[in-house]
Structure formats: structure tokens, C-alpha cells
Amino acid sequence: MTSIALANNSPLRHPDFIFGTATSSFQIEGDAANRLPCIWDTFCNTAGKIADASNGLVACEHVQRWQEDVALIASLGVDAYRLSISWPRVIKQDGSLNTDGVAFYIKLLDGLNAKGIKPFVTLYHWDLPQHIEDQGGWLNRNTANLFADYVSKIVPALGKRVHSYATFNEPFCSAYLGYEAGVHAPGKTGRKNGRQAAHHILLAHGLGMQQLQRLSPSTLNGIVLNFTPCYPATSRAEDIAATDKANQYINHWYIKPLMDGCYPDILQELAVDDRPEVREGDFEIMQAPLDFLGVNFYTRLTYSAPSKAGEFYTELPHLAPQTDIGWEIYPQALTEWLVSLNQCYDLPPIYITENGAAMADKLDDGEVLDYDRVAYYDGHLNALSEAMLQGVDVKGYFAWSLMDNFEWAEGYQKRFGLVYVDYATQQRIPKLSAKAYSALITQR
Ligand code: IFM
């Protein structure tokens, strides 16, 4: 496929619908010498954790090349750009502002605003300062207070340059992958750890929202959650019941406290020792009103009944067709998930804050003809249109990612960019998908 085609009645054609693209600090910035170490530096320095043994020391050299990158973003014709602030770049170990780090973001935000591109800023996209992890990280309740303190300092420092703030990107990944499964930094494991980290992150979100409400009431303030819709492998009652448990455990666990002020029912099935410690008033803090909910969507998963005692479900391997990272391509799950989420909760307006695909790109004669990624975007943007036609209030869509970058435990081998990065030269080469996305936006 060479272009993205929306139906004539697609709500995405509305001129107010926001199209953007996204990155995060650790994945693109580099310039590690001018910030504090973070948990991902430590994880990258631990043998066997990153597929290609790489790290974020250089990444896409975005701190040096930000002007070129702003021009690149503008050349796509997007309305908005989603970036994250590196906590270890803007706050020193004593808790005071690092004015050099802040100056970088001020230049970047000014550059975006000068081109009419709305900055959507995420305050935490996984790069926890290492000295805070040394005090227990997200297992230590005080990290939630440290996050609120960071928010109270960085938000006034950025002034009126920001269109939207998200407190966190994907608490599931920080808590489950980082503290329960151990495949992301800081690599801790165990159900209790994962559930406790999630609780402290959601608490930090609520405390951060209080600061945003106080210091920046006119920006769109919210949170970004990732969801992987769960489908039963068969119509057997055991598989359906297991799928419902998976859905509670991996999806609703991170949204229900914010919307309904409690954890899903599966909490009662956890051993008492595995349940998070919750203090009186925590859920009220978490339930701070949201101006928007960011939804990140990539794939779905299928489930069957558990095969071992003590488990709630069996997660099955991804079905075909798959992207290069091994995730099933199943756009209809985006429609179905948004419609079901909308039925379940009283939601604020939604932005799709990430959607995209890692593909096995080939740079050939100066071009990357990623027809497969264009087809992925076509399928998902049309699935999003369908959800909106069914009544879901979606205000915008961000393609992940602007450019190839450090894909966490996969290193640089998996490429999600609209723009190809030649890491040897740091040359940026827009792929066919960049041209297709740009044509969609400019011709809507
Ligand atoms: O690269 C990540 C991003 O940092 C968070 N959401 C998922 C993307 C693809 O794995």
C-alpha cells in the first residue's frame, strides 16, 4: 500500500482533529553526560538486558540536532508533537532545577511553537533518576512525593509553552514490565512489587495532577495508558473467564482506580501478601479529574485457561500477521477496545497518543519503501474512524514514532519511525510512511 485512505465520512477529516507524532526523552536524546544517570542507563549496563547490548548515551543525538528535528516535524505538516521531559536532565540530585536542562526544553518548545506545532509534554516516560531508584524507586511511596515536587518545579519553568501535559506514559510498562516481569528497568520481579509500583505510580499521577491543576490549569492535563485488548482463544467458558481476568490484570488495573476509585475485582483473588498497600485517601487523589485520556494501542493478545496452579490465565503467542517486533496486526481491536472502554467508564476526551509498527525496513538507494507500515496506519486510522462513528470522543492521533530510536529492551534493532535514522551518520531519511502520513494530514 502506498497511501492512507480515509472514507469520505471519516471524522478524522474534521479540521479540528489533531494529527501528531511522538517520541520520548531517553529514546532519542543522547547527551547523557549532561544529565543524571537514570534506571535505563543502569539497565543498559547490565549484561543480557538489551538485545543488541546498546544504550541511550548517543541515541538519535536529538539534544544536538533538535533544530533539524523540529524542521523535520514541521515538514510532515503535523498539528502536534508529543515529547517527554527527562526528569534526570531537569532536576539535580539535591532536588533543585538544572537550568541548563530546562534551557534545552525551552528552546525546543519555542521552536515547535514558532512553527505552529502544539507541544504535548509527558512528564514521565520511564527515565527515573537512578538515585531515586537507589531509595527503592516506585516501591517507595516517597517517590510519588518526589514526582509531585519535580512537577511543581518544571511546570512553572516551562511557562506558557506547553499545550498539554500527561503525568505518566504507560504505568503498566513501568510497573509490570519494570517491577513485576523484570524485562524493563529496573528489572525487579514479583507480583507484590508490580502491584505496589503501580499503586505508587497512580498515586504520583494524582499528586502530579494536583500540581498541574494549581500551576497550569489552562493546559490539557491527563495521563497516557497503554491497552492490549484481551480475546479468548476459543469460546470455551474457561477461556472466556481467564480472558476476563487477564483484562482486569493488565488493562483495567491501571484505569479503574482513576475512574472508579478502586482496583478491579481480581484484587480479591490475589494472595493477601501480593496486594498493594493502600492508604486511606489514595483513591481520592488518583481520581483527580482528567482533561483527557491518552490511549496507546499497538496489538491484541489471546488467552486460554491457566495451565498452572496460582495463575489466572495463559497468554498465548501472538497470531499472524505480525510486525517485526512480533506483535499481531489486528486493527479491529482498536475499534472494539475504544467502544468497550467508553461503555465501561465515564471517559474524558481521548487522544490516541501512540500507535505504530516496527517493520523490517530496508534502506535501498536512499529510500525506505515501507508499504507494510503504510498499510498498518491505514488499517488503524480507519479502525479509529469506526470507533468515533460509534460514539467515542477522540480528539487526536499521534503516530509512534517520529523517527527510529532506542526501543528499550530491543535496542536499536526494531524500527518504529516514520523517518529512518542511519545511526552511523545520524542522517534522517523520511520513509514512504512519512510521506503517506503527511499527505493524509495536508489533504484531509
Ligand atoms: O517505544 C515504545 C514507547 O516508548 C512506549 N510505548 C510503546 C512503544 C513501542 O514499544
Side-chain angles (χ1 to χ4, degrees), residues 24 27 125-126 169-170 296 298 325 327 354 400 405-408 416:
S24 86
Q27 292 180 274
H125 196 126
W126 309 357
N169 180 70
E170 302 181 344
N296 291 357
Y298 289 90
I325 207 167
W327 298 348
E354 287 182 26
W400 183 270
N405 57 51
F406 177 76
E407 179 49 28
W408 308 112
F416 274 91

Side-chain angles (χ1 to χ4, degrees), residues 65-83:
R65 295 171 183 269
W66 69 270
Q67 283 164 301
E68 180 191 344
D69 290 337
V70 168
L72 186 63
I73 297 163
S75 75
L76 296 176
V78 291
D79 309 301
Y81 173 59
R82 179 172 173 245
L83 65 126

Side-chain angles (χ1 to χ4, degrees), residues 360-371 404 415 420-422 427-432 435:
D361 297 326
K362 294 277 167 297
L363 178 63
D364 191 9
D365 215 6
E367 285 192 312
V368 178
L369 297 175
D370 54 341
Y371 304 109
D404 298 334
R415 294 177 176 269
Y420 185 90
V421 177
D422 177 344
Q427 195 190 350
R428 278 76 160 132
I429 302 159
K431 303 176 191 175
L432 177 67
K435 293 165 195 159

Side-chain angles (χ1 to χ4, degrees), residues 139-283:
L139 299 179
N140 182 343
R141 189 178 168 95
N142 191 45
T143 299
N145 298 323
L146 296 178
F147 175 76
D149 188 58
Y150 150 55
V151 177
S152 76
K153 290 180 173 135
I154 189 63
V155 168
L158 298 180
K160 297 268 173 229
R161 297 174 176 85
V162 174
H163 182 80
S164 162
Y165 280 109
T167 52
F168 282 82
N169 180 70
E170 302 181 344
F172 163 86
C173 295
S174 293
Y176 180 81
L177 301 179
Y179 288 86
E180 187 162 338
V183 295
H184 275 191
K188 299 214 165 113
T189 53
R191 180 166 280 162
K192 171 65 181 240
N193 282 343
R195 301 295 120 179
Q196 194 63 58
H199 188 74
H200 291 152
I201 290 170
L202 297 176
L203 180 67
H205 155 74
L207 295 172
M209 286 298 290
Q210 291 176 355
Q211 295 302 325
L212 288 167
Q213 184 53 36
R214 187 170 72 84
L215 298 165
S216 187
S218 56
T219 46
L220 280 179
N221 302 324
I223 186 169
V224 171
L225 303 177
N226 63 306
F227 298 108
T228 305
C230 304
Y231 287 75
T234 73
S235 54
R236 289 187 322 152
E238 312 86 277
D239 292 344
I240 292 171
T243 302
D244 176 57
K245 289 185 184 180
N247 195 23
Q248 293 185 45
Y249 199 75
I250 71 167
N251 290 318
H252 288 280
W253 194 275
Y254 306 90
I255 182 168
K256 197 170 171 65
L258 310 185
M259 297 290 145
D260 295 348
C262 60
Y263 285 112
D265 292 345
I266 197 166
L267 173 78
Q268 306 306 330
E269 297 187 41
L270 265 56
V272 173
D273 286 350
D274 286 340
R275 295 180 196 172
E277 285 152 37
V278 177
R279 293 198 194 158
E280 205 181 324
D282 284 358
F283 288 121

Side-chain angles (χ1 to χ4, degrees), residues 17-28:
F17 189 85
I18 286 183
F19 281 101
T21 184
T23 60
S24 86
S25 46
F26 190 88
Q27 292 180 274
I28 65 165

